[in-house]
Amino acid sequence: AFLDLSGVHQVKGTWMATTTLPCTYMPSEDFTQQMLSWSIERDHRTSTIFRRDESGDHILLSQFRDRVSVPKHSPGNASLLIENLEMPDSGHYTCKVIWRSKNNSLVTKEVATTVKVVKVAVTKPVIRVGELGLVVPAGARTSLTCVASGSPPISYRWFRSTPGGKALLLSSQAELAWDSLQPSDAGKYYCEAENR
């Protein structure tokens, strides 16, 4: 509907990751956006996080400084991007937009979203193989990449099993790369993913 804000009731955000709280409307030539604000309610207190008006964008809560933004040049998109989610970011968020019509009357709408920040354990890692696959000619370049999801930061370790069952630590990067594969590189490789 016209000048109706649409959002979502609940957003589950992953601790230390980035999330977007949607707040959008259909722009109209008859109305100009005067003011846009995002506020958070926690422990029965409401505080304004972000305000955009004629004087520009203002982040009013220090805990969100350098972590929140609203798209600049997309009319009708008032969504709030929150980076590096912290546990205390959980709460009830309200997006409020005020428009001025051509005859100078004001229209105000708001939409609320509940944010729940959760810590997510790392998933079992998946190994992505290079274009050449797992059977590779000697002298070729190739790589193995370890991929997992969960609350960042995620650290990776690559091991190679050696005769006698020892695991040899090869790398602490997500990618294990070879510039020129040798027959001696053939063998069993393992990757491990870990987060807090």
Side-chain angles (χ1 to χ4, degrees), residues 83-103:
E83 298 176 66
N84 298 331
L85 278 168
E86 303 283 0
M87 298 309 284
D89 293 345
S90 296
H92 298 288
Y93 289 72
T94 302
C95 171
K96 178 168 142 186
V97 180
I98 302 174
W99 297 271
R100 185 181 291 280
S101 71
K102 285 195 167 144
N103 64 8

Side-chain angles (χ1 to χ4, degrees), residues 151-184:
S151 295
I154 298 175
S155 60
Y156 297 96
R157 294 198 298 172
W158 276 101
F159 297 92
R160 179 178 180 183
S161 65
T162 57
K166 280 215 164 57
L168 196 66
L169 176 65
L170 299 175
S171 162
S172 298
Q173 304 290 325
E175 186 186 48
L176 188 60
W178 292 266
D179 280 334
S180 173
L181 270 175
Q182 300 308 313
S184 57

Side-chain angles (χ1 to χ4, degrees), residues 18-177:
T18 296
T19 194
T20 299
L21 312 192
C23 180
T24 55
Y25 64 89
M26 285 292 295
S28 154
E29 292 176 2
D30 301 327
F31 291 85
T32 48
Q33 181 180 297
Q34 285 291 109
M35 202 275 304
L36 147 69
S37 71
W38 275 94
S39 57
I40 182 171
E41 184 200 330
R42 275 178 317 207
D43 315 322
H44 310 293
R45 295 218 333 268
T46 301
S47 321
T48 301
I49 301 169
F50 177 94
R51 192 178 70 234
R52 172 175 291 168
D53 53 30
E54 297 90 21
S55 65
D57 288 3
H58 310 278
I59 295 168
L60 305 170
L61 273 188
S62 58
Q63 78 173 79
F64 289 102
R65 192 133 304 143
D66 302 326
R67 293 199 297 126
V68 297
S69 58
V70 173
K72 271 245 189 330
H73 305 293
S74 51
N77 188 357
S79 304
L80 184 72
L81 178 83
I82 310 177
E83 298 176 66
N84 298 331
L85 278 168
E86 303 283 0
M87 298 309 284
D89 293 345
S90 296
H92 298 288
Y93 289 72
T94 302
C95 171
K96 178 168 142 186
V97 180
I98 302 174
W99 297 271
R100 185 181 291 280
S101 71
K102 285 195 167 144
N103 64 8
N104 274 338
S105 60
L106 295 177
V107 178
T108 302
K109 290 279 170 76
E110 42 188 60
V111 63
T113 301
T114 301
V115 174
K116 199 169 177 216
V117 181
V118 290
K119 293 188 179 184
V120 178
V122 76
T123 58
K124 184 176 176 178
V126 177
I127 294 175
R128 291 208 189 120
V129 298
E131 300 106 64
L132 300 171
L134 291 170
V135 178
V136 184
R141 294 178 66 137
T142 192
S143 66
L144 297 173
T145 308
C146 193
V147 185
S149 61
S151 295
I154 298 175
S155 60
Y156 297 96
R157 294 198 298 172
W158 276 101
F159 297 92
R160 179 178 180 183
S161 65
T162 57
K166 280 215 164 57
L168 196 66
L169 176 65
L170 299 175
S171 162
S172 298
Q173 304 290 325
E175 186 186 48
L176 188 60

Side-chain angles (χ1 to χ4, degrees), residues 1-19:
F2 171 63
L3 282 196
D4 253 359
L5 291 181
S6 46
V8 293
H9 291 303
Q10 192 177 21
V11 168
K12 242 190 183 161
T14 305
W15 180 59
M16 297 307 289
T18 296
T19 194

